[in-house]
Amino acid sequence: MSLLTSIIDKFALSCTKDNEIGEQNHDLYDLVFDYFISSDIVEHFTHAIRQLDTTSPLDESSQWLLITGFNAAMDIGYYDNKHRDRFCEFWLPKYEVLLQEFIESLSLHAIKYILSSLIQIQITIENLAENFMRQELEFCNLQQNSEYLSIIQTVLPLIIKENFLQNLHADDYSQIDLRWDADVEQMTSSFISWLIFKILLMFTNTDGDCFTMVKRNLVIKNILFGAAQLIDDQHPVKLALRVIIVSIINESEIQNPKETIDILIENIKKINYLHGNKSSFSNNGVYDIELLIGLKGFLQYNQVQNVFLEKENLDLLIVLVEPLFSPVEIEFEGNEKIDDDLTPSKESTMNATQASSETTPNDDAELNSLLKDMALIALECLHLMLFNQEAKTIIRDHTEFVLFIREIEAYGRVRKTIDGFLWKLDEEDETQNEEENNRFDLMISYDEDHDSSLVENIYKYLIEHYDYRISFDEQSMPSSRCQAIVDSQCVLLCVSETYKSDPNCRMEVEHARNRNKRLIPFVLKQTIFDGWLGSICTNSRRIDSVEHDFDKSVRLLIDEIQQQRLIEFLSQSKSQLEQIHISSDTDYRAISSIESWTNQDVQHFLYDNKLDVMVLLTEQMNGEDLRQLFDRCQIDDDYWAGFDRLNQELEKRFQQVLPISVYIRFLNRIRKYITVSMF
């Protein structure tokens, strides 16, 4: 008897009547799962998958492996993240090899089985408990980024293969069931295309790292652009392709933005809950929230904002924000709150979406959570449009909407989104009341949703090793962060692709520029400096932590901060001297003896002779002190000993280098005044 037969027999004896593991049956689950990651299964499992595209029906062993046994191994009562990681480590490399074979032979059923499995194996008990609805929107807590990207690169060329496209165009669109767990018997090239796009969308939406991996991958982008030319515009899978492209496109790659906006708006208008249907959240296999995510990514570019600028489009976004006004606080038995982020301050008079009476409390909570997320993305889209002055005027004219936004009592992410939107809306009024005091050396601007852990490492290093005054508060509101910018000498931009599309991040950078703050772009993840970010950072020196290791990147950052502190110190000193000089009747050049110079005379002398850096080494010195310094430099046996001591102090205290030319000019200029004073 083979091991497979033995496993099947033991499973049949211990499983439920529905061929499931059942509760409290850990021994059976461990038996099945361990078999699925053993070397013994590989040949049998591969044979079973190959059978899917033959005319022969599956034999009993193959049917158990592909359906009953696989579902048992994925049993959500036992399958957790640890099991997921073990399963992926064993099977993902094998899946990729099998896909190469099946793509070559165009074995669609086998391809469909593997692609569907790639989604199912990421659904674990932890991820399902965290957010049920998001299991089909993104991969939660994905640990296999590189492996999934490699598989995507393997399967994606299929959508531009000539023989595959011929079948795609021949499909009956009306018969396509765009659900990833659709019946295996219903198999078409259209379904495979959509499933590939589905996995790519989920991967891109997973987190900032996955998003950046796709956005920076020219192979993937070129295939997608090619598919956009080859797939008919009326084909339902084209929508998923378009949403992916607008999410990852760079400014230089945008073509015909109006056509793209029109298509997005046309499909956003079909969002089901706008028409009273609260049981469906997708259209042509694309979730409503994915449409809004794509639109938000597209709206970061000014040229796209210009073509989006129609009152009807802005009105549509305002309607989509309405769920923020509805009661979304659902309670379990025992009054346990589901949503702590949002509490309405008054009963909305707008047409807020209500949860279906037929749903359970859990369903209500998930429904409200999803609607709120969609509303927040719509509000972020409106926030992006506020960077267009004409759009800002139109939005301001929606006085009832703006009033409701102002009166929402919200917390967490909702509060930050609203606060940033209102600050930008009231920007002119806000900036008039700002007073600058430079109480911070540095303010850190970053994407809180995706880059917090990386930025926190930088912050901790700076405060542990240097005495910098830094504004860094994960809980602060966007309006407070904008005030911190005013109070800082320079602003550290922790840049990533998700940073570029975040309206609050853009608001902070533009505010810093408008207040003439020095900007230090620190590249956290590979980023293309295009659009608004590229135009603002054109003349700023960038520190690339992707190119350099952490230590070198931080050293470069320290150099930039110290340079800014030096510039600020010298600027303030020079400004103070100019004020003193205006009110003074004397000039150091008219004083007969250098020993009679005041501290202000010494600094005037240094600035007049372009010896600014020496101001740092002669603070509070008067003429007598300056003469003594000059004499010490002359007395030393080694002419350069004085230079070395000054250079060491400058480097230790200010992380600056004393140029030899400045040192020589310093001695020569003083010598003239000493010579004059001797007569």
Side-chain angles (χ1 to χ4, degrees), residues 79-104:
Y79 186 70
D80 57 18
N81 286 340
K82 290 183 179 179
H83 286 101
R84 184 269 315 270
D85 293 343
R86 291 172 63 196
F87 190 94
C88 287
E89 182 181 4
F90 183 83
W91 274 110
L92 289 184
K94 298 174 179 61
Y95 276 179
E96 185 171 355
V97 173
L98 287 171
L99 280 172
Q100 292 171 352
E101 172 191 332
F102 298 143
I103 289 170
E104 184 64 29

Side-chain angles (χ1 to χ4, degrees), residues 249-262:
I249 200 167
N250 298 322
E251 185 178 38
S252 61
E253 297 163 340
I254 296 175
Q255 296 181 0
N256 201 345
K258 187 176 188 317
E259 177 184 343
T260 303
I261 285 294
D262 289 344

Side-chain angles (χ1 to χ4, degrees), residues 451-642:
D451 301 330
S452 292
S453 58
L454 291 174
V455 176
E456 189 172 354
N457 290 337
I458 298 172
Y459 169 71
K460 287 181 178 179
Y461 185 91
L462 292 177
I463 61 172
E464 288 173 3
H465 295 84
Y466 298 90
D467 61 343
Y468 296 140
R469 301 162 301 164
I470 301 176
S471 173
F472 175 77
D473 184 357
E474 294 182 87
Q475 305 303 320
S476 63
M477 292 294 109
S479 55
S480 300
R481 294 172 65 79
C482 285
Q483 180 59 51
I485 288 172
V486 177
D487 295 338
S488 302
Q489 293 183 8
C490 57
V491 180
L492 178 66
L493 316 181
C494 294
V495 177
S496 63
E497 286 292 346
T498 55
Y499 182 92
K500 279 170 47 180
S501 61
D502 188 294
N504 282 331
C505 295
R506 177 173 181 175
M507 186 172 70
E508 291 168 9
V509 178
E510 292 201 356
H511 189 51
R513 178 197 59 184
N514 294 339
R515 298 302 298 242
N516 296 317
K517 299 296 179 179
R518 178 166 180 161
L519 305 178
I520 306 176
F522 189 95
V523 182
L524 288 178
K525 302 170 184 175
Q526 288 185 330
T527 308
I528 295 176
F529 279 75
D530 61 357
W532 66 269
L533 184 65
S535 63
I536 291 178
C537 296
T538 299
N539 298 320
S540 300
R541 179 190 176 191
R542 302 170 193 170
I543 301 171
D544 194 337
S545 67
V546 178
E547 179 181 344
H548 308 299
D549 59 29
F550 179 81
D551 290 339
K552 183 174 182 180
S553 299
V554 172
R555 286 198 303 272
L556 292 172
L557 173 59
I558 299 301
D559 290 343
E560 285 294 307
I561 297 173
Q562 290 300 129
Q563 180 69 22
Q564 176 58 31
R565 294 181 85 180
L566 174 61
I567 292 172
E568 183 68 21
F569 174 80
L570 295 176
S571 175
Q572 290 180 357
S573 299
K574 199 166 187 177
S575 177
Q576 292 171 359
L577 281 176
E578 288 172 353
Q579 294 299 319
I580 294 172
H581 183 69
I582 291 172
S583 60
S584 175
D585 296 330
T586 61
D587 188 319
Y588 69 91
R589 285 166 290 204
I591 300 175
S592 59
S593 172
I594 190 174
E595 285 84 353
S596 300
W597 286 1
T598 65
N599 170 250
Q600 287 77 23
D601 292 329
V602 170
Q603 292 190 46
H604 272 301
F605 160 76
L606 294 173
Y607 282 122
D608 287 348
N609 289 279
K610 294 182 171 50
L611 300 168
D612 298 25
V613 71
M614 292 300 298
V615 173
L616 301 173
L617 297 170
T618 57
E619 52 190 336
Q620 304 305 318
M621 279 191 180
N622 57 25
E624 186 177 355
D625 299 327
L626 189 66
R627 172 62 189 267
Q628 186 176 355
L629 174 62
F630 172 81
D631 290 341
R632 292 296 305 172
C633 292
Q634 302 298 310
I635 291 173
D636 288 313
D637 295 335
D638 184 354
Y639 180 78
W640 295 108

